[in-house]
Amino acid sequence: MGASHSHDPPKVETLFDQCFNEGIGVYSTVLSTSFLPEGYIVSNPTFSESQNWNFPDSSNPKSGRSPEKIFKLLQASTLRQRLLMLLLPTTVMPLLVASALGFLTTQRQAQTKALALLQDEGVLASDIATQFVEDEAKRIGLVGLSAEVSQGLQQANVIVAQEQLGQKTIEALEAEFADTKLLRPNPSLNQYLQSVATTEGLSEIFFTDSRGLNVAFSNPTSDFVQRDEEWWTAAQTNGFHTAVEFDDSAGVFGISFSGALINPTSGAFQGVMKLVVPAEIFDERLTALTELSLGGFQTVQLLDIRDTQEVYAFKTVDASGVNTGQNQEALGGTTITQIASILSEAVERPDASTESVQQAIQQQTNVTSLEVERRETSGNSDLSALFLHNNQYYNLTTVPGLDWVVSTSVDAATVNRAGFNLLGIFAGTTAVLGAAAIAVLIYLAQQLSTPLNTLTATAEQVTAGELDTRAQLSGTSEMKTLAHGFNQLLDRIQGLLQQQQQAADDQRIQRESLENEISVLMEEVGSAADGDLTVRAQLSAGDIGIVADLFNAIIENLRDTTIQVKESTEKVAQSLDSNEAEVRQLATQAESDVRSLQNMMMALEKMAGSIQSVADRAKQSSALTQDNYATVQVSSESMENTVASILNLRSTVAETAKKIKRLGESAQKISQAVSLIDEIALKTNLLAVNASVEASRAGELGQGFTAVAEQVGALAEQSARATKEIAQIVAAIQTETQEVVIAIETGTAQVVDSTQYVELTKQQLNNILTKSEEINALMEQISDSTVDQIQSSEAVNALMQQIADASKSRLERSMQMAQSIQETAQVSKNLQTSVESFKVETN
Amino acid sequence: MQMETPAERLRSLLPQVFAPQPKEGELFVKLQVVPQVIVSIPLVSIAEVSLVMASEITPIPNMPDSVLGLFNTKGYVFWLIDLAYFLGFSSTLSRVKSYEMVMVRAIPKQHSDDATPTTNSSEQLIGLAVHHIQGSFRMPASDIQTSDAGMKSRITSELLAYVDAYILNTQKPLPILNIEKMKTRLIELGQAT
């Protein structure tokens, strides 16, 4: 199954996953189908995942098969099939897994190696560039130390001092030396420089004095004063400078190197020498690198970092060779140039850690699989970054001491493909080993199953009836034992069959003799069937003899019975004749019973009707009593009201009596007051008389007073009269009051009496109420009892009906009985004639 | 209102007292002896009338039935006589708490012409208990008639013994008692016992 990977999977992970998943998938399938219950299989998540696996080859016989089918196959197949089903996966699967793992491990190693190679190439290229630059710096130092150059510089210093050129401006100097472009043309020195350029393959070499004025050159330069050039100032300051440029004067594209010329003895700055190396020279070294290690896929690019903003590629090396140009595109675009400038900037700062650089790169770009590494080599340090960008693996390595960055790149597919050629080997090995294992297994299965198959075929033959067949003793020792046991079993069965045959024959002979005897017996006693009970069977020895004896006994008994039956039948016939008349009489009587019962029933129904009417009347009376009861209740209530009002009246009368008594008391008081007034009047009268007496005694003077006294006396007399009248009136009032009191007392007594009468009436009404309730209860009882009576009369009626029915049915039965008796008489006559046919006595 | 002196006020209230109209006739007092019998006596013979509580009278044993007892007032002690009993009527005064009493002066005969009574040693006071003292009245002398035959038949014999004259202009002739005769009779009665 694993051998069927015929196509090239594009990704390592996919391949690995497939191999792994298939391996596990097959394993779990075997597991689940062989050892686990069916229900568990369905709910097993591992198993359900296995249904989603994408088997690469649909022609695989197992791939489309559902687990149930496999299970059935396992259940139903032959031993050979089952062996193969179980053993094949068990053998092939580890092989596949081992192959896949081996392949994957190898491929990983190959990839790592490829990436390491990429890094190595970067480092190598960097080293080459460094070497190249160092060589050129050494060359500048060598040339600068030569006697000719030293002389030229000394002369130049002298000339500058003599002509006071130091004070002149650059424009003035340019104008002054426009013809020669040299401070003092020195053909021999120029010649020397030309020879150096020719021998060393340089496109140009010249040097200036300490003020940047041209001293000598191999080729004429475009300017005379160089101190305004960038390279000059850089070389003066740093001692060394490189640049990639298109040299106008040389007319070639090259790499320029400029270095400060130092007096070896004094160490003073004497001037700057610049030489331009054609790019082709550098190409030669890089080509060596290409031949050395480029696997044919990598591309090496040299990037010059002029400043952080400007990066450009000047050299590209790939399988096709070295390509040098001024305006080459940096592979990978701005991302690469960004990272290159970050690295170039970071390598200058030894304190910058790889982590911070890595962080800076990740912040600014979106490259993946980034690894930044710092490498220390002989005092120099460089930074290298390995990352994946646009399906290309890039390795950027800085060149120590220069603003160059070496970019090596390789297609990610190429890296992934590394070690992929091993796949064929692994696949082939697996296929061969798998085929061998399968062959061995098939042979083994064959070996195991063939003797069993043979034995099975033999057993089937035996089952079909060929008992003479015997199994061959072949195969393993177990198989031989099995075959031997089988053969013995067959022998036993054959023996048993023969015994059975013998027994069957014996039985047949016995049966024939028995049949003969029975036919003799049948002939002898045949006439018994016709009613001749006088025949006897001949007694003989054996079983039939016993039967004959038994038969004789039966015939004898039968004869006796027949005789008895004959006698009884006669008796029955006689008694039947006599009974018939009685039965008829009985039937007649039953008929009359039924009629009288019907009459009785009618009378009962009438009675029930009259009871019903009594019940109705009782119900009516009950209703009337109910009404009466209600009326009496209402009367009782009004009577109670009357009692209440009478009681009120009583209390009112009592209050009136009290008030009148009080009136009497008041009259008494008036009477007392009147007697007081009477007394006063009496005294006044006496006083008046005394006054008159005294006045008369006074004589003439007292006459006026006497008149007054007389008037007072008259007044007293009037008051006495008035008091008398009042006393009379009061007495009259008192008398009348007394009378009223008596009348009220009488009234009170009458009220009390009437209250009592009303109470009495109320009690009587209550009595009436109780009585009417009793009447009502009685009426209801009457009603209930009439209902009971109706029910009982109905029950009586039903009973009568039952009796009538019963007597009717009795009548019918007596009729039937009479008929039956007649029939019985007939039957008995028939029986008599039948019994007559039996012959019981020998003539 | 002008401030008046008590005398001025009395004068305005009782003009008769200060401007007396001279009246003719003699003053008499009517006494009801029993409810049916009324007699009169001259005012001049009366010393005083008053109410006397029965407890104030001291009964004296061995005296005639008409004498109720001794009575003391204003420094005088005198006899109290039941007039009704004395005049021969059945008395109504038994079992009363108080008596209406007329204290009369028994004026000697010779002094009967003198109009001014005197209180000398010869003067005798007698208390007459009556049923009721009716009051005084003035009667001109023309209406007073001395006893005649017609009158005698209308009064009892006991009464007749003390009556000298009658007043006529009333509904029925009113006898006038003679106090002296009564005194004399009383003395006789006192001596008899």
Side-chain angles (χ1 to χ4, degrees):
Chain A
M1 166 172 19
S4 61
H5 292 299
S6 57
H7 64 291
D8 286 336
K11 293 198 174 169
V12 179
E13 287 79 6
T14 317
L15 179 69
F16 176 77
D17 286 350
Q18 278 178 355
C19 289
F20 188 71
N21 286 345
E22 274 175 50
I24 297 298
V26 171
Y27 180 65
S28 66
T29 306
V30 171
L31 258 186
S32 56
T33 50
S34 305
F35 306 116
L36 296 175
E38 202 167 347
Y40 184 75
I41 294 167
V42 175
S43 63
N44 190 346
T46 311
F47 176 77
S48 60
E49 277 172 24
S50 78
Q51 281 196 322
N52 295 331
W53 290 334
N54 183 18
F55 287 97
D57 191 353
S58 61
S59 66
N60 191 322
K62 281 187 188 177
S63 62
R65 214 167 260 174
S66 67
E68 285 80 7
K69 277 181 182 174
I70 295 168
F71 190 72
K72 278 178 187 169
L73 195 67
L74 284 174
Q75 290 286 322
S77 59
T78 61
L79 175 65
R80 188 184 156 193
Q81 282 169 336
R82 290 183 71 165
L83 277 173
L84 286 176
M85 291 293 282
L86 284 171
L87 289 176
L88 272 181
T90 322
T91 318
V92 174
M93 190 195 58
L95 200 61
L96 282 175
V97 172
S99 301
L101 284 175
F103 170 66
L104 283 173
T105 315
T106 318
Q107 202 195 20
R108 278 285 162 88
Q109 282 173 354
Q111 279 177 6
T112 316
K113 203 171 157 190
L115 288 176
L117 188 64
L118 195 64
Q119 279 178 313
D120 287 352
E121 274 170 12
V123 171
L124 203 58
S126 171
D127 286 350
I128 288 167
T130 312
Q131 195 65 46
F132 181 62
V133 172
E134 278 174 2
D135 285 356
E136 295 310 319
K138 278 178 191 164
R139 195 194 303 279
I140 288 169
L142 282 174
V143 174
L145 288 175
S146 65
E148 290 88 351
V149 174
S150 304
Q151 270 183 343
L153 284 171
Q154 282 166 4
Q155 280 176 359
N157 282 338
V158 171
I159 291 162
V160 168
Q162 280 173 355
E163 296 182 7
Q164 294 180 336
L165 296 172
Q167 282 78 31
K168 290 185 180 175
T169 60
I170 293 173
E171 285 76 19
L173 289 171
E174 287 284 356
E176 192 178 340
F177 296 93
D179 296 337
T180 58
K181 303 284 184 185
L182 289 174
L183 190 66
R184 187 72 66 212
N186 187 345
S188 64
L189 189 56
N190 286 354
Q191 192 62 49
Y192 168 70
L193 289 178
Q194 275 173 2
S195 66
V196 168
T198 312
T199 50
E200 296 296 330
L202 305 175
S203 57
E204 187 184 24
I205 180 167
F206 66 98
F207 64 93
T208 68
D209 69 346
S210 59
R211 288 177 185 79
L213 305 176
N214 277 358
V215 178
F217 48 60
S218 60
N219 301 66
T221 59
S222 52
D223 295 330
F224 170 67
V225 185
Q226 305 290 352
R227 67 167 179 266
D228 58 338
E229 301 284 332
E230 187 194 346
W231 59 266
W232 195 90
T233 48
Q236 189 188 18
T237 317
N238 301 332
F240 195 73
H241 178 74
T242 60
V244 180
E245 62 186 13
F246 185 79
D247 192 70
D248 297 336
S249 54
V252 290
F253 181 73
I255 304 160
S256 72
F257 299 91
S258 39
L261 297 177
I262 309 295
N263 192 334
T265 50
S266 65
F269 174 67
Q270 286 180 317
V272 173
M273 177 175 279
K274 179 181 180 182
L275 53 89
V276 177
V277 182
E280 286 79 14
I281 290 179
F282 189 41
D283 289 355
E284 286 168 14
R285 302 207 184 182
L286 284 175
T287 311
L289 166 75
T290 316
E291 286 168 354
L292 183 72
S293 58
L294 279 177
F297 304 106
Q298 292 92 336
T299 305
V300 178
Q301 223 178 12
L302 277 173
L303 305 176
D304 185 19
I305 315 296
R306 300 223 169 148
D307 57 53
T308 51
Q309 296 303 319
E310 197 182 355
V311 175
Y312 77 98
F314 67 94
K315 206 167 277 292
T316 309
V317 182
D318 58 17
S320 58
V322 182
N323 184 13
T324 309
Q326 191 174 9
N327 295 315
Q328 287 186 1
E329 288 281 321
L331 285 174
T334 52
T335 310
I336 303 303
T337 56
Q338 254 177 327
I339 296 168
S341 34
I342 291 165
L343 288 176
S344 170
E345 185 264 335
V347 78
E348 302 293 331
R349 294 182 284 115
D351 57 322
S353 65
T354 54
E355 286 80 12
S356 64
V357 175
Q358 196 160 348
Q359 214 171 358
I361 292 169
Q362 274 172 347
Q363 275 173 0
Q364 293 186 21
T365 62
N366 57 350
V367 297
T368 52
S369 313
L370 179 67
E371 284 175 40
V372 176
E373 209 177 317
R374 186 181 283 272
R375 195 163 54 101
E376 303 288 335
T377 48
S378 61
N380 290 325
S381 75
D382 59 24
L383 270 174
S384 69
L386 180 69
F387 55 89
L388 183 63
H389 174 64
N390 284 346
N391 278 334
Q392 292 269 340
Y393 278 104
Y394 288 92
N395 182 57
L396 299 186
T397 310
T398 58
V399 178
L402 290 177
D403 289 336
W404 292 2
V405 172
V406 179
S407 160
T408 53
S409 63
V410 68
D411 198 5
T414 313
V415 175
N416 291 340
R417 212 181 292 125
F420 209 75
N421 52 355
L422 288 170
L423 181 65
I425 298 166
F426 275 105
T429 314
T430 311
V432 170
L433 283 175
I438 289 166
V440 169
L441 280 174
I442 289 171
Y443 174 72
L444 197 67
Q446 191 76 27
Q447 282 291 101
L448 281 172
S449 61
T450 308
L452 266 177
N453 282 347
T454 317
L455 195 61
T456 312
T458 313
E460 276 171 0
Q461 278 181 353
V462 170
T463 315
E466 296 173 27
L467 292 173
D468 294 335
T469 319
R470 287 294 178 275
Q472 290 178 347
L473 300 181
S474 63
T476 58
S477 62
E478 289 91 348
M479 289 308 301
K480 277 175 188 167
T481 315
L482 186 63
H484 184 66
F486 183 71
N487 287 346
Q488 277 186 338
L489 195 68
L490 279 179
D491 289 348
R492 290 282 297 276
I493 287 167
Q494 268 186 331
L496 283 171
L497 276 176
Q498 279 174 358
Q499 281 177 10
Q500 227 171 9
Q501 190 69 39
Q502 190 67 42
D505 286 351
D506 290 353
Q507 275 181 347
R508 189 167 53 77
I509 291 161
Q510 279 178 355
R511 197 175 67 233
E512 277 170 3
S513 70
L514 208 63
E515 276 170 2
N516 282 338
E517 284 177 21
I518 285 168
S519 64
V520 171
L521 184 68
M522 290 293 279
E523 278 170 17
E524 281 173 358
V525 299
S527 55
D530 300 332
D532 187 0
L533 300 178
T534 57
V535 292
R536 292 292 181 272
Q538 198 176 356
L539 297 177
S540 63
D543 293 339
I544 297 301
I546 297 165
V547 172
D549 195 13
L550 201 68
F551 189 78
N552 282 348
I554 289 167
I555 295 269
E556 194 66 31
N557 277 341
L558 194 62
R559 196 173 71 95
D560 294 349
T561 312
T562 309
I563 290 164
Q564 281 176 4
V565 166
K566 266 186 184 174
E567 288 166 2
S568 313
T569 314
E570 278 166 12
K571 280 180 190 169
V572 166
Q574 282 170 6
S575 59
L576 273 177
D577 284 342
S578 63
N579 279 348
E580 203 179 349
E582 286 172 17
V583 167
R584 286 229 175 117
Q585 212 173 354
L586 198 68
T588 320
Q589 204 177 345
E591 258 179 357
S592 69
D593 277 358
V594 167
R595 236 170 267 126
S596 62
L597 272 172
Q598 276 171 348
N599 290 338
M600 211 189 288
M601 264 169 63
M602 279 163 73
L604 267 173
E605 272 169 14
K606 273 184 192 168
M607 195 168 81
S610 57
I611 287 168
Q612 186 64 45
S613 67
V614 169
D616 292 345
R617 296 271 164 72
K619 267 181 193 164
Q620 283 174 5
S621 307
S622 179
L624 284 174
T625 318
Q626 209 88 12
D627 289 351
N628 197 16
Y629 179 70
T631 318
V632 169
Q633 263 183 334
V634 171
S635 307
S636 177
E637 281 168 15
S638 48
M639 198 55 79
E640 270 172 18
N641 290 338
T642 313
V643 168
S645 55
I646 284 170
L647 286 174
N648 279 341
L649 178 62
R650 198 169 148 181
S651 60
T652 315
V653 166
E655 271 181 29
T656 315
K658 272 183 198 166
K659 279 174 185 167
I660 284 175
K661 268 182 187 167
R662 253 181 236 149
L663 183 63
E665 286 164 12
S666 306
Q668 192 71 35
K669 280 175 188 168
I670 290 168
S671 162
Q672 284 172 7
V674 164
S675 68
L676 194 65
I677 292 166
D678 193 27
E679 202 180 315
I680 290 165
L682 174 69
K683 283 183 179 172
T684 313
N685 191 24
L686 293 179
L687 218 59
V689 173
N690 280 342
S692 297
V693 170
E694 295 300 327
S696 66
R697 204 170 286 162
E700 286 295 324
L701 290 170
Q703 271 188 348
F705 196 74
T706 308
V708 173
E710 277 173 21
Q711 283 176 3
V712 170
L715 276 173
E717 205 167 345
Q718 278 176 12
S719 11
R721 268 205 299 277
T723 48
K724 271 199 188 97
E725 278 172 18
I726 290 168
Q728 280 169 4
I729 290 164
V730 166
I733 287 171
Q734 273 178 331
T735 317
E736 279 168 12
T737 307
Q738 203 62 36
E739 282 169 3
V740 169
V741 165
I742 290 163
I744 281 170
E745 273 170 6
T746 318
T748 309
Q750 279 170 357
V751 165
V752 168
D753 284 352
S754 53
T755 312
Q756 281 171 355
Y757 288 140
V758 167
E759 283 290 331
L760 210 63
T761 315
K762 210 175 119 187
Q763 278 176 6
Q764 279 164 355
L765 270 176
N766 276 340
N767 284 344
I768 290 170
L769 212 60
T770 320
K771 289 278 158 58
S772 85
E773 267 175 11
E774 282 171 4
I775 289 169
N776 203 4
L778 282 172
M779 281 298 176
E780 274 172 8
Q781 276 180 7
I782 290 168
S783 187
D784 289 350
S785 42
T786 47
V787 167
D788 284 352
Q789 276 176 345
I790 287 170
Q791 282 173 354
S792 342
S793 77
E794 273 170 7
V796 169
N797 208 354
L799 279 172
M800 295 301 279
Q801 189 68 45
Q802 280 179 6
I803 292 165
D805 289 350
S807 64
K808 209 179 263 183
S809 67
R810 205 161 58 214
L811 175 65
E812 279 166 12
R813 271 208 299 279
S814 346
M815 294 270 199
Q816 279 176 1
M817 201 151 75
Q819 207 175 349
S820 310
I821 285 168
Q822 280 177 345
E823 280 170 10
T824 314
Q826 191 62 44
V827 168
S828 131
K829 270 174 195 164
N830 289 345
L831 189 65
Q832 234 169 345
T833 47
S834 303
V835 170
E836 285 298 325
S837 67
F838 281 107
K839 189 176 175 187
V840 291
E841 285 167 8
T842 49
N843 294 331
Chain B
M1 277 291 269
Q2 283 180 337
M3 286 299 289
E4 286 174 304
T5 59
E8 282 171 342
R9 285 183 70 188
L10 268 174
R11 200 167 287 164
S12 66
L13 283 169
L14 299 167
Q16 306 95 309
V17 175
F18 299 97
Q21 301 289 320
K23 284 185 180 176
E24 291 180 1
E26 199 180 348
L27 278 166
F28 295 92
V29 170
K30 271 197 276 188
L31 301 175
Q32 193 175 15
V33 182
V34 289
Q36 298 82 21
V37 179
I38 296 172
V39 297
S40 60
I41 52 173
L43 189 70
V44 290
S45 62
I46 295 176
E48 192 186 352
V49 294
S50 63
L51 264 178
V52 176
M53 303 307 289
S55 58
E56 286 176 297
I57 296 160
T58 312
I60 304 297
N62 297 323
M63 290 301 283
D65 294 339
S66 58
V67 177
L68 288 170
L70 281 170
F71 181 69
N72 170 34
T73 182
K74 295 179 184 173
Y76 299 102
V77 174
F78 52 89
W79 295 99
L80 191 64
I81 292 160
D82 187 346
L83 186 60
Y85 201 86
F86 182 75
L87 294 178
F89 299 100
S90 58
S91 176
T92 57
L93 295 179
S94 59
R95 301 183 184 282
V96 293
K97 283 197 282 182
S98 60
Y99 306 102
E100 288 181 37
M101 181 200 75
V102 183
M103 200 161 61
V104 293
R105 212 179 274 122
I107 303 155
K109 194 72 181 174
Q110 62 271 21
H111 297 294
S112 64
D113 295 339
D114 295 343
T116 49
T118 53
T119 53
N120 51 24
S121 59
S122 64
E123 189 181 87
Q124 294 277 313
L125 289 172
I126 301 165
L128 300 175
V130 298
H131 178 70
H132 185 48
I133 298 163
Q134 280 194 332
S136 62
F137 63 97
R138 192 176 289 268
M139 192 53 62
S142 60
D143 286 343
I144 298 169
Q145 193 183 355
T146 52
S147 322
D148 64 337
M151 289 297 158
K152 286 173 186 170
S153 63
R154 295 189 186 179
I155 56 172
T156 58
S157 58
E158 285 89 353
L159 183 57
L160 197 59
Y162 311 106
V163 173
D164 289 340
Y166 300 92
I167 295 164
L168 293 175
N169 68 339
T170 52
Q171 287 170 352
K172 78 181 194 183
L174 194 63
I176 299 168
L177 284 178
N178 189 332
I179 303 300
E180 287 298 329
K181 284 180 181 172
M182 283 174 68
K183 181 183 169 188
T184 314
R185 175 67 184 154
L186 278 170
I187 291 163
E188 283 171 11
L189 282 171
Q191 286 167 350
T193 56

